[in-house]
Amino acid sequence: MAENVGEIAAIEKQKTSEDLGEETAAPGMSAIIPGWFSEISPMWPGEAHSLKVEQILFQGKSDYQNVVVFQSATYGKVLVLDGVIQLTERDECAYQEMITHLPLCSIPNPKKVLVIGGGDGGVLREVERHSSVEQIDICEIDGMVVEVSKKFFPEVAVGYDDPRVNLHIGDGVAFLNNAAGASYDAVIVDSSDPIGPAKELFEKPFFESVARALRPGGVVCTQAESIWLHMHIIEDIVANCRQIFKGSVNYAWTTVPTYPSGVIGFMLCSTEGPAVDFKLPLNPIDEDQSKGPLKFYNAEIHSAAFCLPSFAKRAIEAKN
């Protein structure tokens, strides 16, 4: 695994779209074919989303996954892990801002925050807008993701520059199991899909560890898939969370054009203690211009994120 920029540079491959040769993945998986990246996966069978590739900026294989960065024609630079788009320069704000501010704006004065995953640094950048926060721990399993993000996505990875941040390279499940009980005001789980190294982050024992690590009235926000593609996964997450979290349990969603189906959801839960109403933000965000202005999140869209289509509302409420 590349642990620094020098090692990354040693395995970079600079190519223009005209130089791209045969498919870079096995049949049925995401691939780069001449001029185009197509995201194909059994997680969204029968469909694919394609972006025009202007240049491949980086290709590498870490201990955990394949890492690719390319310059797209319409969404800026794109980070891809194991064939799945993780972020693009154009629309990353819709995900990073919502997964962070939905939980942190719902509780007063969060002080200690844990981020699981999120190696690109975008969640860190958003957490840092909250001046009440005194400590931010982040546990990312793949050091290559951190270094690649610092090199190719500096406006996202700026989150690592804050002295409140403590970076831990390792397994998030193990980190939580070793964390002191009732030690965090908020846990944000910025995971990839429930295949490969992220699978454990969607299972009941992990949510139990999160609940143990949270203070009374503490909150968790975790990536919770698409209502258009993954209601079976969402229903399982809701069922587990209703058993574990004795405060509030809610599902919210946002639009991210380059994610499968164009939307992604979040599971937001609180532990027993001071009541949390996720739908009514009470903690305003500080205007920290060093991080740039907010591009997506505001108080109105916060409340609107919990308004669900009827089919999703019925399925989720059935898990009560």
Side-chain angles (χ1 to χ4, degrees):
M1 176 166 57
E3 294 293 346
N4 55 57
V5 172
E7 289 176 315
I8 287 175
I11 59 175
E12 283 181 5
K13 297 180 180 179
Q14 300 289 339
K15 298 181 180 180
T16 64
S17 59
E18 290 79 8
D19 294 330
L20 299 179
E22 299 300 316
E23 293 188 359
T24 60
M29 300 300 291
S30 298
I32 298 177
I33 61 174
W36 290 87
F37 168 80
S38 292
E39 187 175 82
I40 305 166
S41 170
M43 287 286 292
W44 40 91
E47 60 184 275
H49 182 211
S50 298
L51 292 178
K52 188 174 183 180
V53 179
E54 292 187 334
Q55 186 179 23
I56 295 184
L57 303 173
F58 175 85
Q59 288 179 292
K61 184 173 178 58
S62 74
D63 291 341
Y64 300 97
Q65 56 203 339
N66 292 305
V67 181
V68 174
V69 178
F70 67 85
Q71 181 72 40
S72 73
T74 52
Y75 282 87
K77 290 194 287 290
V78 180
L79 174 65
V80 179
L81 301 181
D82 273 349
V84 177
I85 292 173
Q86 303 299 308
L87 68 84
T88 79
E89 289 182 304
R90 182 177 175 184
D91 66 9
E92 56 88 12
C93 59
Y95 178 83
Q96 316 276 22
E97 292 181 15
M98 293 294 277
I99 197 173
T100 304
H101 301 311
L102 288 177
L104 294 188
C105 289
S106 297
I107 57 175
N109 302 313
K111 290 181 168 52
K112 189 174 179 182
V113 178
L114 171 62
V115 180
I116 299 292
D120 53 70
V123 170
L124 296 177
R125 179 193 67 199
E126 297 307 314
V127 173
E128 291 157 11
R129 295 183 190 272
H130 294 266
S131 61
S132 65
V133 173
E134 298 171 355
Q135 178 179 333
I136 311 167
D137 293 333
I138 177 170
C139 186
E140 163 62 48
I141 198 169
D142 196 339
M144 181 181 284
V145 173
V146 176
E147 297 306 327
V148 165
S149 298
K150 287 180 178 180
K151 181 173 178 60
F152 294 103
F153 301 91
E155 293 184 357
V156 178
V158 67
Y160 286 104
D161 297 340
D162 195 293
R164 293 173 289 177
V165 172
N166 303 304
L167 171 62
H168 307 268
I169 299 297
D171 178 72
V173 174
F175 185 90
L176 262 178
N177 288 338
N178 292 324
S183 57
Y184 290 100
D185 298 295
V187 175
I188 300 171
V189 185
D190 179 10
S191 70
S192 51
D193 295 308
I195 51 177
K199 187 175 185 297
E200 287 183 278
L201 304 184
F202 288 78
E203 297 174 345
K204 189 174 182 180
F206 175 74
F207 290 116
E208 291 172 337
S209 296
V210 171
R212 184 186 63 82
L214 286 171
R215 294 171 177 158
V219 296
V220 59
C221 183
T222 181
Q223 187 273 106
E225 299 299 328
S226 166
I227 56 174
W228 292 109
L229 301 174
H230 307 122
M231 279 306 304
H232 60 293
I233 297 174
I234 295 167
E235 289 175 48
D236 288 344
I237 295 172
V238 171
N240 286 333
C241 288
R242 292 203 188 282
Q243 293 177 32
I244 296 164
F245 294 96
K246 303 308 180 183
S248 181
V249 175
N250 289 269
Y251 186 88
W253 59 315
T254 189
T255 62
V256 185
T258 54
Y259 284 176
S261 82
V263 303
I264 196 72
F266 309 106
M267 199 74 221
L268 291 113
C269 309
S270 64
T271 56
E272 189 173 15
V276 177
D277 186 348
F278 286 110
K279 299 177 183 179
L280 296 176
L282 55 83
N283 182 25
I285 300 171
D286 302 301
E287 291 296 326
D288 183 354
Q289 293 304 314
S290 68
K291 303 295 186 295
L294 288 168
K295 297 179 180 178
F296 192 89
Y297 176 89
N298 56 49
E300 292 81 12
I301 208 165
H302 179 125
S303 296
F306 295 90
C307 297
L308 301 177
S310 296
F311 75 89
K313 185 177 181 180
R314 282 193 297 268
I316 289 171
E317 288 180 349
K319 295 300 175 180
N320 285 338

